[in-house]
Amino acid sequence: MSVVPIHLLGSPVLKQTSEEVGEIDSAVRKLVDDLKDTMYAASGIGLAANQIGVTRRIAVVKTEEAVSLTLIDPVILSREGTDRGEEGCLSIPELYADIDRSTHIVVETTDLDGNRVRLDVADLRARAIQHEIDHLDGVLFLDHLSPLKRRLLLQKWKKLRKGKTGYIQEVSKHNSHV
Ligand code: NI
């Protein structure tokens, strides 16, 4: 188990579609542990594997509930309602935007015992899961914005990144994002 660096906007891995996991083995378990450790260290509420450089369909979510949730090959089976709410992302620190998401989803995922299970989730947890599944498809919250709003945020990102090189960052404990 370890806290690992996070890939930031600009790293090509964030735009890649991740591959199905299938069987749960020790490599998958280790990846889940690393994701959880890194998410907690970064005070995030969700983290997908490609954010730590691994293009497999695995993510973790920790919202208001006490127990974190592991998503492996997650698929959204149904959706209800829409709500607009503010999102951020551990890969795009200091940028936030209001994003429309389904308020209630049923998601099917593989648990760490290798069983397919269905979860009925709502509100912030549903939002976080949709955000993480987007990551597995190479989609960032910025991609949901209008071209104008997106351009403004990308300009802000350029300013934040001025003078910095590389797109892989050690975890800092200052902010809370998904
Ligand atoms: Ni994110």
PDB file of all heavy atoms in Angstrom, residues 108-146:
ATOM      1  N   GLU A 108     -23.631  -1.358 -11.912  1.00  0.00           N
ATOM      2  CA  GLU A 108     -23.164  -2.731 -11.706  1.00  0.00           C
ATOM      3  C   GLU A 108     -21.645  -2.713 -11.728  1.00  0.00           C
ATOM      4  O   GLU A 108     -21.041  -2.073 -12.596  1.00  0.00           O
ATOM      5  CB  GLU A 108     -23.689  -3.655 -12.807  1.00  0.00           C
ATOM      6  CG  GLU A 108     -23.395  -5.123 -12.512  1.00  0.00           C
ATOM      7  CD  GLU A 108     -23.952  -6.038 -13.595  1.00  0.00           C
ATOM      8  OE1 GLU A 108     -23.260  -6.195 -14.615  1.00  0.00           O
ATOM      9  OE2 GLU A 108     -25.063  -6.564 -13.428  1.00  0.00           O
ATOM     10  N   THR A 109     -21.040  -3.391 -10.752  1.00  0.00           N
ATOM     11  CA  THR A 109     -19.587  -3.370 -10.636  1.00  0.00           C
ATOM     12  C   THR A 109     -19.104  -4.714 -10.101  1.00  0.00           C
ATOM     13  O   THR A 109     -19.888  -5.471  -9.526  1.00  0.00           O
ATOM     14  CB  THR A 109     -19.154  -2.220  -9.698  1.00  0.00           C
ATOM     15  OG1 THR A 109     -17.731  -2.198  -9.579  1.00  0.00           O
ATOM     16  CG2 THR A 109     -19.755  -2.358  -8.307  1.00  0.00           C
ATOM     17  N   THR A 110     -17.841  -5.004 -10.290  1.00  0.00           N
ATOM     18  CA  THR A 110     -17.258  -6.215  -9.707  1.00  0.00           C
ATOM     19  C   THR A 110     -16.695  -5.870  -8.335  1.00  0.00           C
ATOM     20  O   THR A 110     -16.019  -4.844  -8.184  1.00  0.00           O
ATOM     21  CB  THR A 110     -16.120  -6.753 -10.596  1.00  0.00           C
ATOM     22  OG1 THR A 110     -16.644  -7.005 -11.909  1.00  0.00           O
ATOM     23  CG2 THR A 110     -15.527  -8.037 -10.040  1.00  0.00           C
ATOM     24  N   ASP A 111     -17.000  -6.699  -7.329  1.00  0.00           N
ATOM     25  CA  ASP A 111     -16.398  -6.448  -6.013  1.00  0.00           C
ATOM     26  C   ASP A 111     -15.068  -7.198  -5.901  1.00  0.00           C
ATOM     27  O   ASP A 111     -14.662  -7.915  -6.826  1.00  0.00           O
ATOM     28  CB  ASP A 111     -17.379  -6.790  -4.873  1.00  0.00           C
ATOM     29  CG  ASP A 111     -17.675  -8.284  -4.772  1.00  0.00           C
ATOM     30  OD1 ASP A 111     -16.924  -9.098  -5.352  1.00  0.00           O
ATOM     31  OD2 ASP A 111     -18.676  -8.630  -4.105  1.00  0.00           O
ATOM     32  N   LEU A 112     -14.380  -7.027  -4.770  1.00  0.00           N
ATOM     33  CA  LEU A 112     -13.034  -7.598  -4.650  1.00  0.00           C
ATOM     34  C   LEU A 112     -13.037  -9.118  -4.520  1.00  0.00           C
ATOM     35  O   LEU A 112     -11.987  -9.764  -4.580  1.00  0.00           O
ATOM     36  CB  LEU A 112     -12.284  -6.948  -3.481  1.00  0.00           C
ATOM     37  CG  LEU A 112     -11.792  -5.523  -3.803  1.00  0.00           C
ATOM     38  CD1 LEU A 112     -11.331  -4.809  -2.539  1.00  0.00           C
ATOM     39  CD2 LEU A 112     -10.678  -5.546  -4.850  1.00  0.00           C
ATOM     40  N   ASP A 113     -14.240  -9.707  -4.348  1.00  0.00           N
ATOM     41  CA  ASP A 113     -14.355 -11.166  -4.379  1.00  0.00           C
ATOM     42  C   ASP A 113     -14.639 -11.676  -5.791  1.00  0.00           C
ATOM     43  O   ASP A 113     -14.811 -12.878  -6.006  1.00  0.00           O
ATOM     44  CB  ASP A 113     -15.478 -11.624  -3.439  1.00  0.00           C
ATOM     45  CG  ASP A 113     -15.164 -11.285  -1.989  1.00  0.00           C
ATOM     46  OD1 ASP A 113     -13.991 -11.467  -1.595  1.00  0.00           O
ATOM     47  OD2 ASP A 113     -16.069 -10.834  -1.269  1.00  0.00           O
ATOM     48  N   GLY A 114     -14.740 -10.753  -6.737  1.00  0.00           N
ATOM     49  CA  GLY A 114     -14.960 -11.159  -8.125  1.00  0.00           C
ATOM     50  C   GLY A 114     -16.419 -11.295  -8.518  1.00  0.00           C
ATOM     51  O   GLY A 114     -16.724 -11.754  -9.621  1.00  0.00           O
ATOM     52  N   ASN A 115     -17.330 -10.893  -7.618  1.00  0.00           N
ATOM     53  CA  ASN A 115     -18.761 -10.989  -7.938  1.00  0.00           C
ATOM     54  C   ASN A 115     -19.264  -9.695  -8.565  1.00  0.00           C
ATOM     55  O   ASN A 115     -18.846  -8.610  -8.159  1.00  0.00           O
ATOM     56  CB  ASN A 115     -19.575 -11.238  -6.655  1.00  0.00           C
ATOM     57  CG  ASN A 115     -19.124 -12.505  -5.951  1.00  0.00           C
ATOM     58  OD1 ASN A 115     -19.008 -13.557  -6.561  1.00  0.00           O
ATOM     59  ND2 ASN A 115     -18.846 -12.381  -4.667  1.00  0.00           N
ATOM     60  N   ARG A 116     -20.187  -9.847  -9.539  1.00  0.00           N
ATOM     61  CA  ARG A 116     -20.861  -8.661 -10.059  1.00  0.00           C
ATOM     62  C   ARG A 116     -21.971  -8.295  -9.081  1.00  0.00           C
ATOM     63  O   ARG A 116     -22.801  -9.129  -8.727  1.00  0.00           O
ATOM     64  CB  ARG A 116     -21.458  -8.933 -11.449  1.00  0.00           C
ATOM     65  CG  ARG A 116     -20.441  -9.139 -12.539  1.00  0.00           C
ATOM     66  CD  ARG A 116     -19.568  -7.933 -12.796  1.00  0.00           C
ATOM     67  NE  ARG A 116     -20.226  -6.899 -13.603  1.00  0.00           N
ATOM     68  CZ  ARG A 116     -19.665  -5.722 -13.883  1.00  0.00           C
ATOM     69  NH1 ARG A 116     -18.460  -5.408 -13.410  1.00  0.00           N
ATOM     70  NH2 ARG A 116     -20.306  -4.842 -14.627  1.00  0.00           N
ATOM     71  N   VAL A 117     -21.965  -7.050  -8.630  1.00  0.00           N
ATOM     72  CA  VAL A 117     -22.966  -6.584  -7.671  1.00  0.00           C
ATOM     73  C   VAL A 117     -23.606  -5.296  -8.184  1.00  0.00           C
ATOM     74  O   VAL A 117     -22.990  -4.556  -8.951  1.00  0.00           O
ATOM     75  CB  VAL A 117     -22.350  -6.333  -6.270  1.00  0.00           C
ATOM     76  CG1 VAL A 117     -21.878  -7.642  -5.656  1.00  0.00           C
ATOM     77  CG2 VAL A 117     -21.190  -5.353  -6.358  1.00  0.00           C
ATOM     78  N   ARG A 118     -24.853  -5.062  -7.757  1.00  0.00           N
ATOM     79  CA  ARG A 118     -25.551  -3.840  -8.158  1.00  0.00           C
ATOM     80  C   ARG A 118     -25.659  -2.886  -6.982  1.00  0.00           C
ATOM     81  O   ARG A 118     -25.980  -3.303  -5.870  1.00  0.00           O
ATOM     82  CB  ARG A 118     -26.950  -4.174  -8.671  1.00  0.00           C
ATOM     83  CG  ARG A 118     -26.891  -4.744 -10.051  1.00  0.00           C
ATOM     84  CD  ARG A 118     -28.258  -4.979 -10.637  1.00  0.00           C
ATOM     85  NE  ARG A 118     -28.110  -5.640 -11.925  1.00  0.00           N
ATOM     86  CZ  ARG A 118     -29.089  -5.835 -12.788  1.00  0.00           C
ATOM     87  NH1 ARG A 118     -30.306  -5.423 -12.489  1.00  0.00           N
ATOM     88  NH2 ARG A 118     -28.856  -6.431 -13.941  1.00  0.00           N
ATOM     89  N   LEU A 119     -25.403  -1.622  -7.243  1.00  0.00           N
ATOM     90  CA  LEU A 119     -25.487  -0.592  -6.218  1.00  0.00           C
ATOM     91  C   LEU A 119     -26.497   0.451  -6.644  1.00  0.00           C
ATOM     92  O   LEU A 119     -26.532   0.847  -7.798  1.00  0.00           O
ATOM     93  CB  LEU A 119     -24.127   0.093  -6.039  1.00  0.00           C
ATOM     94  CG  LEU A 119     -22.917  -0.807  -5.849  1.00  0.00           C
ATOM     95  CD1 LEU A 119     -21.641   0.002  -5.998  1.00  0.00           C
ATOM     96  CD2 LEU A 119     -22.976  -1.466  -4.482  1.00  0.00           C
ATOM     97  N   ASP A 120     -27.312   0.849  -5.676  1.00  0.00           N
ATOM     98  CA  ASP A 120     -28.328   1.864  -5.900  1.00  0.00           C
ATOM     99  C   ASP A 120     -27.826   3.108  -5.169  1.00  0.00           C
ATOM    100  O   ASP A 120     -27.748   3.106  -3.949  1.00  0.00           O
ATOM    101  CB  ASP A 120     -29.617   1.333  -5.239  1.00  0.00           C
ATOM    102  CG  ASP A 120     -30.834   1.943  -5.841  1.00  0.00           C
ATOM    103  OD1 ASP A 120     -30.811   3.159  -6.072  1.00  0.00           O
ATOM    104  OD2 ASP A 120     -31.802   1.193  -6.049  1.00  0.00           O
ATOM    105  N   VAL A 121     -27.449   4.141  -5.897  1.00  0.00           N
ATOM    106  CA  VAL A 121     -26.824   5.289  -5.233  1.00  0.00           C
ATOM    107  C   VAL A 121     -27.442   6.607  -5.690  1.00  0.00           C
ATOM    108  O   VAL A 121     -27.989   6.704  -6.786  1.00  0.00           O
ATOM    109  CB  VAL A 121     -25.296   5.327  -5.458  1.00  0.00           C
ATOM    110  CG1 VAL A 121     -24.598   4.234  -4.708  1.00  0.00           C
ATOM    111  CG2 VAL A 121     -24.976   5.255  -6.931  1.00  0.00           C
ATOM    112  N   ALA A 122     -27.326   7.611  -4.829  1.00  0.00           N
ATOM    113  CA  ALA A 122     -27.939   8.911  -5.125  1.00  0.00           C
ATOM    114  C   ALA A 122     -27.008  10.042  -4.705  1.00  0.00           C
ATOM    115  O   ALA A 122     -26.020   9.846  -3.994  1.00  0.00           O
ATOM    116  CB  ALA A 122     -29.270   9.030  -4.376  1.00  0.00           C
ATOM    117  N   ASP A 123     -27.357  11.231  -5.205  1.00  0.00           N
ATOM    118  CA  ASP A 123     -26.750  12.486  -4.773  1.00  0.00           C
ATOM    119  C   ASP A 123     -25.231  12.515  -4.950  1.00  0.00           C
ATOM    120  O   ASP A 123     -24.737  12.144  -5.993  1.00  0.00           O
ATOM    121  CB  ASP A 123     -27.201  12.807  -3.335  1.00  0.00           C
ATOM    122  CG  ASP A 123     -28.733  12.855  -3.240  1.00  0.00           C
ATOM    123  OD1 ASP A 123     -29.361  13.360  -4.192  1.00  0.00           O
ATOM    124  OD2 ASP A 123     -29.273  12.347  -2.250  1.00  0.00           O
ATOM    125  N   LEU A 124     -24.493  12.920  -3.891  1.00  0.00           N
ATOM    126  CA  LEU A 124     -23.054  13.132  -4.070  1.00  0.00           C
ATOM    127  C   LEU A 124     -22.328  11.852  -4.482  1.00  0.00           C
ATOM    128  O   LEU A 124     -21.422  11.872  -5.312  1.00  0.00           O
ATOM    129  CB  LEU A 124     -22.447  13.700  -2.777  1.00  0.00           C
ATOM    130  CG  LEU A 124     -20.948  14.012  -2.856  1.00  0.00           C
ATOM    131  CD1 LEU A 124     -20.639  15.027  -3.959  1.00  0.00           C
ATOM    132  CD2 LEU A 124     -20.439  14.528  -1.511  1.00  0.00           C
ATOM    133  N   ARG A 125     -22.751  10.730  -3.903  1.00  0.00           N
ATOM    134  CA  ARG A 125     -22.080   9.472  -4.248  1.00  0.00           C
ATOM    135  C   ARG A 125     -22.341   9.129  -5.723  1.00  0.00           C
ATOM    136  O   ARG A 125     -21.435   8.693  -6.432  1.00  0.00           O
ATOM    137  CB  ARG A 125     -22.552   8.350  -3.320  1.00  0.00           C
ATOM    138  CG  ARG A 125     -21.869   7.015  -3.614  1.00  0.00           C
ATOM    139  CD  ARG A 125     -21.935   6.049  -2.453  1.00  0.00           C
ATOM    140  NE  ARG A 125     -20.748   6.176  -1.632  1.00  0.00           N
ATOM    141  CZ  ARG A 125     -20.238   5.198  -0.884  1.00  0.00           C
ATOM    142  NH1 ARG A 125     -20.822   4.033  -0.830  1.00  0.00           N
ATOM    143  NH2 ARG A 125     -19.149   5.382  -0.178  1.00  0.00           N
ATOM    144  N   ALA A 126     -23.567   9.361  -6.182  1.00  0.00           N
ATOM    145  CA  ALA A 126     -23.894   9.115  -7.598  1.00  0.00           C
ATOM    146  C   ALA A 126     -23.075  10.047  -8.491  1.00  0.00           C
ATOM    147  O   ALA A 126     -22.557   9.634  -9.536  1.00  0.00           O
ATOM    148  CB  ALA A 126     -25.389   9.318  -7.839  1.00  0.00           C
ATOM    149  N   ARG A 127     -22.954  11.298  -8.068  1.00  0.00           N
ATOM    150  CA  ARG A 127     -22.157  12.265  -8.833  1.00  0.00           C
ATOM    151  C   ARG A 127     -20.697  11.802  -8.934  1.00  0.00           C
ATOM    152  O   ARG A 127     -20.093  11.802 -10.001  1.00  0.00           O
ATOM    153  CB  ARG A 127     -22.231  13.646  -8.157  1.00  0.00           C
ATOM    154  CG  ARG A 127     -21.334  14.708  -8.791  1.00  0.00           C
ATOM    155  CD  ARG A 127     -21.549  16.080  -8.148  1.00  0.00           C
ATOM    156  NE  ARG A 127     -22.889  16.584  -8.415  1.00  0.00           N
ATOM    157  CZ  ARG A 127     -23.271  17.179  -9.556  1.00  0.00           C
ATOM    158  NH1 ARG A 127     -22.380  17.394 -10.522  1.00  0.00           N
ATOM    159  NH2 ARG A 127     -24.509  17.585  -9.731  1.00  0.00           N
ATOM    160  N   ALA A 128     -20.141  11.401  -7.800  1.00  0.00           N
ATOM    161  CA  ALA A 128     -18.735  10.979  -7.783  1.00  0.00           C
ATOM    162  C   ALA A 128     -18.521   9.751  -8.678  1.00  0.00           C
ATOM    163  O   ALA A 128     -17.523   9.668  -9.403  1.00  0.00           O
ATOM    164  CB  ALA A 128     -18.295  10.687  -6.349  1.00  0.00           C
ATOM    165  N   ILE A 129     -19.456   8.820  -8.643  1.00  0.00           N
ATOM    166  CA  ILE A 129     -19.317   7.612  -9.470  1.00  0.00           C
ATOM    167  C   ILE A 129     -19.367   7.970 -10.953  1.00  0.00           C
ATOM    168  O   ILE A 129     -18.564   7.469 -11.754  1.00  0.00           O
ATOM    169  CB  ILE A 129     -20.412   6.576  -9.104  1.00  0.00           C
ATOM    170  CG1 ILE A 129     -20.121   5.986  -7.719  1.00  0.00           C
ATOM    171  CG2 ILE A 129     -20.482   5.469 -10.165  1.00  0.00           C
ATOM    172  CD1 ILE A 129     -21.247   5.109  -7.179  1.00  0.00           C
ATOM    173  N   GLN A 130     -20.269   8.864 -11.318  1.00  0.00           N
ATOM    174  CA  GLN A 130     -20.347   9.275 -12.735  1.00  0.00           C
ATOM    175  C   GLN A 130     -19.065   9.976 -13.165  1.00  0.00           C
ATOM    176  O   GLN A 130     -18.557   9.750 -14.271  1.00  0.00           O
ATOM    177  CB  GLN A 130     -21.566  10.186 -12.947  1.00  0.00           C
ATOM    178  CG  GLN A 130     -22.886   9.430 -12.836  1.00  0.00           C
ATOM    179  CD  GLN A 130     -24.087  10.360 -12.715  1.00  0.00           C
ATOM    180  OE1 GLN A 130     -24.586  10.864 -13.714  1.00  0.00           O
ATOM    181  NE2 GLN A 130     -24.546  10.607 -11.489  1.00  0.00           N
ATOM    182  N   HIS A 131     -18.518  10.801 -12.278  1.00  0.00           N
ATOM    183  CA  HIS A 131     -17.254  11.493 -12.560  1.00  0.00           C
ATOM    184  C   HIS A 131     -16.129  10.468 -12.764  1.00  0.00           C
ATOM    185  O   HIS A 131     -15.330  10.585 -13.693  1.00  0.00           O
ATOM    186  CB  HIS A 131     -16.944  12.439 -11.391  1.00  0.00           C
ATOM    187  CG  HIS A 131     -15.654  13.175 -11.482  1.00  0.00           C
ATOM    188  ND1 HIS A 131     -15.575  14.546 -11.643  1.00  0.00           N
ATOM    189  CD2 HIS A 131     -14.363  12.742 -11.408  1.00  0.00           C
ATOM    190  CE1 HIS A 131     -14.298  14.911 -11.688  1.00  0.00           C
ATOM    191  NE2 HIS A 131     -13.538  13.839 -11.530  1.00  0.00           N
ATOM    192  N   GLU A 132     -16.079   9.443 -11.903  1.00  0.00           N
ATOM    193  CA  GLU A 132     -15.002   8.440 -12.007  1.00  0.00           C
ATOM    194  C   GLU A 132     -15.171   7.558 -13.235  1.00  0.00           C
ATOM    195  O   GLU A 132     -14.182   7.219 -13.897  1.00  0.00           O
ATOM    196  CB  GLU A 132     -14.940   7.584 -10.734  1.00  0.00           C
ATOM    197  CG  GLU A 132     -14.608   8.342  -9.454  1.00  0.00           C
ATOM    198  CD  GLU A 132     -13.456   9.315  -9.584  1.00  0.00           C
ATOM    199  OE1 GLU A 132     -12.477   9.010 -10.290  1.00  0.00           O
ATOM    200  OE2 GLU A 132     -13.543  10.410  -9.000  1.00  0.00           O
ATOM    201  N   ILE A 133     -16.395   7.185 -13.567  1.00  0.00           N
ATOM    202  CA  ILE A 133     -16.606   6.364 -14.766  1.00  0.00           C
ATOM    203  C   ILE A 133     -16.214   7.168 -16.007  1.00  0.00           C
ATOM    204  O   ILE A 133     -15.630   6.620 -16.956  1.00  0.00           O
ATOM    205  CB  ILE A 133     -18.055   5.831 -14.829  1.00  0.00           C
ATOM    206  CG1 ILE A 133     -18.258   4.780 -13.721  1.00  0.00           C
ATOM    207  CG2 ILE A 133     -18.348   5.209 -16.206  1.00  0.00           C
ATOM    208  CD1 ILE A 133     -19.669   4.223 -13.627  1.00  0.00           C
ATOM    209  N   ASP A 134     -16.476   8.469 -15.986  1.00  0.00           N
ATOM    210  CA  ASP A 134     -15.984   9.325 -17.073  1.00  0.00           C
ATOM    211  C   ASP A 134     -14.464   9.175 -17.231  1.00  0.00           C
ATOM    212  O   ASP A 134     -13.950   9.056 -18.344  1.00  0.00           O
ATOM    213  CB  ASP A 134     -16.301  10.799 -16.775  1.00  0.00           C
ATOM    214  CG  ASP A 134     -17.641  11.249 -17.335  1.00  0.00           C
ATOM    215  OD1 ASP A 134     -18.337  10.444 -17.980  1.00  0.00           O
ATOM    216  OD2 ASP A 134     -17.979  12.431 -17.127  1.00  0.00           O
ATOM    217  N   HIS A 135     -13.749   9.211 -16.111  1.00  0.00           N
ATOM    218  CA  HIS A 135     -12.279   9.063 -16.176  1.00  0.00           C
ATOM    219  C   HIS A 135     -11.902   7.771 -16.913  1.00  0.00           C
ATOM    220  O   HIS A 135     -10.952   7.750 -17.702  1.00  0.00           O
ATOM    221  CB  HIS A 135     -11.674   9.010 -14.773  1.00  0.00           C
ATOM    222  CG  HIS A 135     -11.371  10.349 -14.174  1.00  0.00           C
ATOM    223  ND1 HIS A 135     -10.513  11.260 -14.738  1.00  0.00           N
ATOM    224  CD2 HIS A 135     -11.810  10.924 -13.030  1.00  0.00           C
ATOM    225  CE1 HIS A 135     -10.429  12.343 -13.972  1.00  0.00           C
ATOM    226  NE2 HIS A 135     -11.215  12.166 -12.925  1.00  0.00           N
ATOM    227  N   LEU A 136     -12.633   6.692 -16.644  1.00  0.00           N
ATOM    228  CA  LEU A 136     -12.303   5.400 -17.262  1.00  0.00           C
ATOM    229  C   LEU A 136     -12.502   5.448 -18.783  1.00  0.00           C
ATOM    230  O   LEU A 136     -11.937   4.636 -19.518  1.00  0.00           O
ATOM    231  CB  LEU A 136     -13.146   4.277 -16.649  1.00  0.00           C
ATOM    232  CG  LEU A 136     -13.042   4.137 -15.120  1.00  0.00           C
ATOM    233  CD1 LEU A 136     -13.876   2.961 -14.640  1.00  0.00           C
ATOM    234  CD2 LEU A 136     -11.592   3.980 -14.669  1.00  0.00           C
ATOM    235  N   ASP A 137     -13.315   6.425 -19.227  1.00  0.00           N
ATOM    236  CA  ASP A 137     -13.538   6.611 -20.670  1.00  0.00           C
ATOM    237  C   ASP A 137     -12.716   7.779 -21.229  1.00  0.00           C
ATOM    238  O   ASP A 137     -12.968   8.241 -22.345  1.00  0.00           O
ATOM    239  CB  ASP A 137     -15.033   6.835 -20.929  1.00  0.00           C
ATOM    240  CG  ASP A 137     -15.842   5.576 -20.641  1.00  0.00           C
ATOM    241  OD1 ASP A 137     -15.356   4.473 -20.964  1.00  0.00           O
ATOM    242  OD2 ASP A 137     -16.945   5.688 -20.083  1.00  0.00           O
ATOM    243  N   GLY A 138     -11.780   8.263 -20.441  1.00  0.00           N
ATOM    244  CA  GLY A 138     -10.915   9.352 -20.916  1.00  0.00           C
ATOM    245  C   GLY A 138     -11.603  10.702 -20.942  1.00  0.00           C
ATOM    246  O   GLY A 138     -11.168  11.611 -21.656  1.00  0.00           O
ATOM    247  N   VAL A 139     -12.668  10.846 -20.148  1.00  0.00           N
ATOM    248  CA  VAL A 139     -13.450  12.098 -20.141  1.00  0.00           C
ATOM    249  C   VAL A 139     -13.218  12.832 -18.818  1.00  0.00           C
ATOM    250  O   VAL A 139     -13.240  12.230 -17.741  1.00  0.00           O
ATOM    251  CB  VAL A 139     -14.958  11.783 -20.316  1.00  0.00           C
ATOM    252  CG1 VAL A 139     -15.797  13.041 -20.149  1.00  0.00           C
ATOM    253  CG2 VAL A 139     -15.205  11.138 -21.683  1.00  0.00           C
ATOM    254  N   LEU A 140     -12.995  14.146 -18.909  1.00  0.00           N
ATOM    255  CA  LEU A 140     -12.813  14.981 -17.724  1.00  0.00           C
ATOM    256  C   LEU A 140     -14.033  15.882 -17.545  1.00  0.00           C
ATOM    257  O   LEU A 140     -14.777  16.117 -18.500  1.00  0.00           O
ATOM    258  CB  LEU A 140     -11.561  15.841 -17.892  1.00  0.00           C
ATOM    259  CG  LEU A 140     -10.263  15.044 -18.044  1.00  0.00           C
ATOM    260  CD1 LEU A 140      -9.132  15.962 -18.464  1.00  0.00           C
ATOM    261  CD2 LEU A 140      -9.924  14.312 -16.754  1.00  0.00           C
ATOM    262  N   PHE A 141     -14.217  16.414 -16.324  1.00  0.00           N
ATOM    263  CA  PHE A 141     -15.414  17.252 -16.109  1.00  0.00           C
ATOM    264  C   PHE A 141     -15.424  18.450 -17.055  1.00  0.00           C
ATOM    265  O   PHE A 141     -16.484  18.919 -17.465  1.00  0.00           O
ATOM    266  CB  PHE A 141     -15.570  17.655 -14.633  1.00  0.00           C
ATOM    267  CG  PHE A 141     -14.687  18.759 -14.134  1.00  0.00           C
ATOM    268  CD1 PHE A 141     -15.035  20.084 -14.347  1.00  0.00           C
ATOM    269  CD2 PHE A 141     -13.526  18.475 -13.426  1.00  0.00           C
ATOM    270  CE1 PHE A 141     -14.229  21.113 -13.870  1.00  0.00           C
ATOM    271  CE2 PHE A 141     -12.720  19.489 -12.947  1.00  0.00           C
ATOM    272  CZ  PHE A 141     -13.069  20.819 -13.173  1.00  0.00           C
ATOM    273  N   LEU A 142     -14.235  18.916 -17.438  1.00  0.00           N
ATOM    274  CA  LEU A 142     -14.146  20.046 -18.378  1.00  0.00           C
ATOM    275  C   LEU A 142     -14.831  19.725 -19.704  1.00  0.00           C
ATOM    276  O   LEU A 142     -15.331  20.627 -20.389  1.00  0.00           O
ATOM    277  CB  LEU A 142     -12.676  20.366 -18.682  1.00  0.00           C
ATOM    278  CG  LEU A 142     -11.781  20.839 -17.549  1.00  0.00           C
ATOM    279  CD1 LEU A 142     -10.358  21.041 -18.072  1.00  0.00           C
ATOM    280  CD2 LEU A 142     -12.315  22.134 -16.967  1.00  0.00           C
ATOM    281  N   ASP A 143     -14.818  18.452 -20.072  1.00  0.00           N
ATOM    282  CA  ASP A 143     -15.395  18.044 -21.361  1.00  0.00           C
ATOM    283  C   ASP A 143     -16.915  18.184 -21.401  1.00  0.00           C
ATOM    284  O   ASP A 143     -17.516  18.085 -22.474  1.00  0.00           O
ATOM    285  CB  ASP A 143     -14.990  16.598 -21.690  1.00  0.00           C
ATOM    286  CG  ASP A 143     -13.482  16.446 -21.796  1.00  0.00           C
ATOM    287  OD1 ASP A 143     -12.837  17.387 -22.284  1.00  0.00           O
ATOM    288  OD2 ASP A 143     -12.951  15.395 -21.382  1.00  0.00           O
ATOM    289  N   HIS A 144     -17.537  18.395 -20.240  1.00  0.00           N
ATOM    290  CA  HIS A 144     -18.992  18.578 -20.197  1.00  0.00           C
ATOM    291  C   HIS A 144     -19.399  20.045 -20.336  1.00  0.00           C
ATOM    292  O   HIS A 144     -20.584  20.352 -20.395  1.00  0.00           O
ATOM    293  CB  HIS A 144     -19.554  18.046 -18.869  1.00  0.00           C
ATOM    294  CG  HIS A 144     -19.493  16.549 -18.764  1.00  0.00           C
ATOM    295  ND1 HIS A 144     -20.361  15.734 -19.447  1.00  0.00           N
ATOM    296  CD2 HIS A 144     -18.676  15.728 -18.072  1.00  0.00           C
ATOM    297  CE1 HIS A 144     -20.075  14.470 -19.161  1.00  0.00           C
ATOM    298  NE2 HIS A 144     -19.060  14.446 -18.334  1.00  0.00           N
ATOM    299  N   LEU A 145     -18.427  20.940 -20.349  1.00  0.00           N
ATOM    300  CA  LEU A 145     -18.738  22.374 -20.351  1.00  0.00           C
ATOM    301  C   LEU A 145     -18.947  22.906 -21.755  1.00  0.00           C
ATOM    302  O   LEU A 145     -18.526  22.296 -22.738  1.00  0.00           O
ATOM    303  CB  LEU A 145     -17.581  23.137 -19.693  1.00  0.00           C
ATOM    304  CG  LEU A 145     -17.296  22.774 -18.235  1.00  0.00           C
ATOM    305  CD1 LEU A 145     -16.019  23.473 -17.780  1.00  0.00           C
ATOM    306  CD2 LEU A 145     -18.466  23.166 -17.351  1.00  0.00           C
ATOM    307  N   SER A 146     -19.563  24.071 -21.834  1.00  0.00           N
ATOM    308  CA  SER A 146     -19.696  24.760 -23.126  1.00  0.00           C
ATOM    309  C   SER A 146     -18.287  25.132 -23.596  1.00  0.00           C
ATOM    310  O   SER A 146     -17.375  25.290 -22.771  1.00  0.00           O
ATOM    311  CB  SER A 146     -20.531  26.018 -22.964  1.00  0.00           C
ATOM    312  OG  SER A 146     -19.805  26.981 -22.218  1.00  0.00           O
TER     313      SER A 146
END
